[in-house]
Amino acid sequence: MSGLVHLIYSSAATREMSSKDLVALLALAREKNASLDITGMLLFVEGSFLQVLEGDGDAVDALFEHIARDDRHTSVVTIIREPIPRRDFSDWSMGYAQVSAEELASIDGLNDFFQGQGCFDDLNPGRTKKLLKAFNSGRWRSRVATQPIDDQPSVSSPQPTNSLPTERPPVSYAFQPIIDLDDERVTSHEAIELDKTTKLPTTVQRDDPAARTQLQMESHTMAMGLAARLGLSTGLTLNYAVYRCDDAERTMQATVDAAERYGFRPDRLTLELDHDQLLDDPQWFASVLQQQRAFGMRISIDNFGAGRSGHYLIDTYKPDGVALNEGLVRHIETNGARQAIVRGILQTAEDLGIDVVAKQIRDQAEVDWFRSEGVHLFQGALFAEPQFEQLASEVFIPARELT
Amino acid sequence: MIERQNDPRALAYSFAFQPIVDIRRALIVSQEALVRGPNGESAFSVLEPLEAPFIYEVDEQLRADAIRLASTLGQPTDLHLNLNLMPRGLEMSPDSIASTIAAAADVRLGAEAITIEITESEIIHDISLFVAIANESRSAGVQFAIDDFGAGYAGLNLLAEFQPDAIKLDRELISAIQTSGPRQAIVRGVQRTCEDLGIDIIAEGVETQPEFDWLFGEGIELFQGYFFARPGFQQLPEVLFPLVGA
Ligand SMILES: Cc1cc2nc3c(=O)[nH]c(=O)nc-3n(C[C@H](O)[C@H](O)[C@H](O)COP(=O)(O)O)c2cc1C
């Protein structure tokens, strides 16, 4: 025994399910569930399934893995799996309800939901009840999307040249494009600092703020110099590790000076703030940033949602963009918790007109999920790897979905 | 040199309780136990002189004592308590929550009557250990709430690892929310996430009518703050419920 858990997932039916099909599915499921001591419920609304499985942790996981492979449904998203003190559906080897959208909406509190097997109001006021409510209000419904067409155009960036910078040996830059899939265009290149010999990310001396400031000022200058030499025609995204307020103004000035020297108008620059610690005086730093915004420079928050990079930053900096990284994007198509978090971020971003970039994208399935939620800015190996001291020559643009 | 305390028994303290209310049902759903000095002095005055690892021992003892005091003030049948926990203490004493459940059982309070609150700032230290222990206590029926949510100490990512039963919106987010677009947008986003994950939202630190009106208007139903009831020293305060439209 590994303890009692429930697992709740949603999915989309891949074909029309007649009542007969469903009855057959359920008869088999009930028999098997009873033998596994698994209880729960299955809801089928206009092509979407929501299922609750309760039982011993290992048994539930094994059954879920089995069900997830069933080709009668797809887009299987685990919403939650957690230990529970007791079952919500102890009497039902698989409670079942099929309801139309109107019925679902018209039933206040989903009464008589289970067609005589029990009723919604009998449920413990825990997670299951809340999630059923969410489903009732339209959440977690997935439908099978139209298949995308099959040709995959690509766009070209300006040709790279091979003239390399000669200044300051230990570090140099790779460039990785950020793509707008709405108009299939590279909007910006992010300059990623790498060790010149190992070509791996550099490790900065975090304990010496003065050296770090110096390094940061030099690195922005270098990145812009290199980008200018490579003939960059898109925007340029520079990382800014935020760690001490009193250096902010100096660093910013160095960046502005370098931009002028290399002919970058401020509106081509995005400063991407990476917060690995809390600032002593964020309001002051925010005011420094606002001055640059006034000239057209864009402010973005990297790694949003991770570590110290939380909501308060939106309130403090009023950024133009936020970037979502690994921790939120990876396999989001099957991870309900990540989906819920990202939907919340998108809601906030939409209300405030903040751009959202999905970064570190590796799979088409990740892109598809973000596209279906309206995200159009992307970066990641799927589109183009970072190129050391070069601009990407080719960018993969996935096929556009039919709408 | 300052003498540091190292015997939990020698410490002098007591508790205040502050209700968490469900506005729609006009019910007190829980009382949060807040440590105070023996004469109602601030929590800071009690906790500030304490150092790790001693403070974690005290933390565990505080929960047991809060339960005992509360049980003398209210009927066990309708008592529910929110108790604070420093997650880092779990690294030294993984049985810390189990011992709280035992203390509750001593006064005939079930594990379901206990919500453990952890602050966002503390939780991130060892998330996998925390989740493992929290899940064990969940099997017993204990609930979890994340305090100070949105304050920026832990990422939203936290919710990908651990889905609490409730989050308490950080005071900073709520203060004068009726006038701040960004804060409103943030709260709407958090609501969206929490609704999708079946997590309750508690608005804490609510002090004014306009704050309450905005939050209630957006569908938030669980509240805590001076606007409803101040913490009551050694008592379970009553609440004057604001009238809300039917
Ligand atoms: C939406 C959906 C829900 C299902 N739920 C269950 C279930 O609760 N229990 C179960 O045994 N099979 C369930 N199945 C069917 C399984 O995927 C599988 O067909 C069944 O367990 C028989 O597998 P077997 O032929 O390998 O024994 C479900 C299928 C779908 C599409």
Side-chain angles (χ1 to χ4, degrees):
Chain A
M1 287 287 287
S2 57
L4 193 62
V5 306
H6 67 189
L7 187 154
I8 304 175
Y9 75 86
S10 64
S11 65
T14 46
R15 57 187 84 143
E16 289 285 320
M17 298 288 282
S18 69
S19 312
K20 231 176 91 191
D21 296 337
L22 284 162
V23 167
L25 189 158
L26 277 165
L28 208 151
R30 287 193 177 125
E31 191 181 319
K32 195 156 154 186
N33 292 0
S35 75
L36 294 167
D37 195 22
I38 285 175
T39 52
M41 63 145 309
L42 176 69
L43 198 58
F44 183 57
V45 182
E46 303 194 319
S48 305
F49 290 109
L50 184 85
Q51 188 169 30
V52 181
L53 298 166
E54 317 174 312
D56 171 72
D58 292 338
V60 166
D61 290 342
L63 178 64
F64 173 61
E65 212 175 282
H66 185 69
I67 296 172
R69 280 197 300 263
D70 194 312
D71 65 5
R72 284 170 286 186
H73 64 172
T74 179
S75 307
V76 178
V77 172
T78 311
I79 299 172
I80 213 154
R81 179 206 181 277
E82 64 188 351
I84 45 168
R86 73 189 79 77
R87 294 175 194 249
D88 282 317
F89 301 97
S90 48
D91 298 335
W92 309 320
S93 58
M94 190 48 56
Y96 169 72
Q98 175 177 19
V99 250
S100 72
E102 301 85 71
E103 272 180 284
L104 194 59
S106 71
I107 312 166
D108 185 31
L110 310 169
N111 268 317
D112 293 320
F113 202 48
F114 304 106
Q115 303 180 333
Q117 297 181 70
C119 86
F120 183 73
D121 284 342
D122 294 340
L123 279 179
N124 295 315
R127 179 97 60 194
T128 308
K129 191 164 183 170
K130 292 179 206 164
L131 284 175
L132 287 174
K133 258 190 187 151
F135 192 73
N136 182 38
S137 63
R139 302 288 164 76
W140 298 118
R141 309 261 188 93
S142 50
R143 298 257 209 126
V144 178
T146 342
Q147 287 303 304
I149 44 168
D150 188 1
D151 70 319
Q152 291 169 342
S154 61
V155 293
S156 298
S157 293
Q159 275 305 305
T161 64
N162 283 326
S163 59
L164 303 178
T166 47
E167 62 239 66
R168 232 170 58 88
V171 301
S172 188
Y173 292 84
F175 293 93
Q176 189 174 24
I178 294 166
I179 299 145
D180 186 336
L181 284 187
D182 270 356
D183 46 16
E184 303 191 348
R185 181 173 72 87
V186 174
T187 62
S188 186
H189 280 78
E190 179 177 351
I192 300 166
E193 188 171 281
L194 298 178
D195 184 296
K196 204 167 166 66
T197 40
T198 63
K199 302 192 178 162
L200 294 171
T202 49
T203 41
V204 203
Q205 320 90 297
R206 275 154 209 282
D207 32 344
D208 183 356
R212 238 181 123 178
T213 304
Q214 188 62 33
L215 202 78
Q216 190 137 258
M217 293 192 324
E218 287 175 20
S219 76
H220 282 179
T221 306
M222 261 183 86
M224 277 187 264
L226 181 55
R229 245 168 290 176
L230 294 173
L232 181 81
S233 60
T234 66
L236 179 64
T237 300
L238 300 168
N239 292 295
Y240 187 105
V242 178
Y243 56 98
R244 210 173 74 166
C245 278
D246 44 349
D247 297 309
E249 211 155 12
R250 253 171 13 112
T251 315
M252 213 62 82
Q253 194 52 52
T255 304
V256 171
D257 291 346
E260 204 173 291
R261 172 148 29 113
Y262 293 112
F264 283 99
R265 287 204 327 268
D267 61 3
R268 282 178 62 197
L269 294 180
T270 302
L271 271 197
E272 202 153 81
L273 310 178
D274 193 352
H275 275 72
D276 55 358
Q277 44 193 298
L278 291 177
L279 280 177
D280 41 345
D281 190 355
Q283 293 306 332
W284 189 82
F285 183 61
S287 72
V288 172
L289 291 178
Q290 292 311 319
Q291 288 165 22
Q292 297 313 319
R293 290 263 300 295
F295 296 112
M297 197 186 285
R298 292 167 40 88
I299 306 298
S300 160
I301 297 173
D302 204 7
N303 230 330
F304 189 71
R308 306 284 191 201
S309 184
H311 279 122
Y312 75 106
L313 292 178
I314 286 190
D315 195 23
T316 310
Y317 298 142
K318 324 276 189 298
D320 303 280
V322 298
L324 309 180
N325 297 44
E326 187 95 36
L328 284 177
V329 307
R330 189 63 59 240
H331 297 312
I332 192 159
E333 72 281 3
T334 60
N335 188 311
R338 287 185 189 146
Q339 292 182 5
I341 294 165
V342 170
R343 283 204 191 96
I345 294 173
L346 293 176
Q347 166 86 57
T348 300
E350 188 186 321
D351 278 7
L352 295 173
I354 294 171
D355 284 337
V356 177
V357 185
K359 283 185 157 188
Q360 292 170 306
I361 293 283
R362 284 206 208 124
D363 297 335
Q364 185 64 44
E366 293 163 356
V367 180
D368 291 343
W369 188 85
F370 278 104
R371 289 294 273 160
S372 73
E373 293 291 326
V375 171
H376 55 101
L377 296 169
F378 291 90
Q379 185 185 44
L382 179 71
F383 307 98
E385 300 270 7
Q387 299 281 320
F388 188 70
E389 296 183 340
Q390 281 187 8
L391 303 178
S393 52
E394 281 239 312
V395 176
F396 167 75
I397 302 280
R400 198 190 271 272
E401 278 192 37
L402 294 171
T403 38
Chain B
M1 225 185 90
I2 305 163
E3 275 294 312
R4 291 288 177 186
Q5 294 268 18
N6 57 15
D7 178 6
R9 310 265 146 219
L11 273 181
Y13 54 80
S14 187
F15 296 90
F17 295 90
Q18 190 178 24
I20 297 170
V21 296
D22 179 330
I23 292 299
R24 196 165 287 292
R25 293 188 296 153
L27 275 182
I28 295 175
V29 291
S30 189
Q31 298 272 0
E32 180 180 0
L34 303 159
V35 67
R36 292 287 185 265
N39 302 301
E41 299 89 338
S42 71
F44 185 79
S45 71
V46 179
L47 298 175
E48 201 274 334
L50 307 180
E51 287 180 334
F54 175 58
I55 192 165
Y56 300 120
E57 252 177 84
V58 173
D59 188 52
E60 181 174 331
Q61 180 182 303
L62 289 179
R63 284 192 299 280
D65 285 336
I67 289 169
R68 279 190 279 274
L69 176 57
S71 73
T72 65
L73 301 172
Q75 292 299 321
T77 43
D78 46 41
L79 196 56
H80 187 111
L81 290 173
N82 274 41
L83 303 168
N84 291 281
L85 174 127
M86 299 174 180
R88 235 170 256 191
L90 293 175
E91 285 162 36
M92 268 161 304
S93 155
D95 296 336
S96 182
I97 298 180
S99 98
T100 300
I101 297 174
D106 285 346
V107 299
R108 303 204 184 155
L109 213 53
E112 314 78 48
I114 303 293
T115 296
I116 298 283
E117 283 192 20
I118 46 259
T119 40
E120 215 194 37
S121 58
E122 273 260 342
I123 204 172
I124 46 178
H125 193 243
D126 186 346
I127 182 82
S128 53
L129 176 80
F130 172 76
V131 171
I133 295 175
N135 279 341
E136 241 173 71
S137 5
R138 277 185 154 178
S139 302
V142 173
Q143 298 185 31
F144 285 83
I146 296 178
D147 205 0
D148 300 337
F149 189 84
Y153 294 99
L156 275 164
N157 279 12
L158 177 60
L159 297 184
E161 314 291 328
F162 177 67
Q163 295 86 33
D165 300 275
I167 57 134
K168 294 175 94 175
L169 289 176
D170 188 52
R171 244 177 278 275
E172 293 277 316
L173 275 180
I174 280 171
S175 102
I177 191 158
Q178 70 281 2
T179 65
S180 165
R183 282 179 224 159
Q184 293 180 4
I186 289 165
V187 168
R188 284 203 196 98
V190 172
Q191 277 183 292
R192 177 79 216 252
T193 298
C194 288
E195 226 172 286
D196 281 7
L197 292 174
I199 297 170
D200 284 334
I201 297 184
I202 301 166
E204 69 176 333
V206 175
E207 295 186 358
T208 68
Q209 180 83 44
E211 289 168 354
F212 169 73
D213 288 343
W214 189 88
L215 292 160
F216 187 72
E218 288 296 316
I220 289 180
E221 299 183 351
L222 299 171
F223 288 88
Q224 186 180 25
Y226 282 12
F227 185 62
F228 310 94
R230 290 174 176 262
F233 184 61
Q234 296 180 345
Q235 55 172 330
L236 304 176
E238 287 302 315
V239 174
L240 199 63
F241 283 93
L243 285 177
V244 292

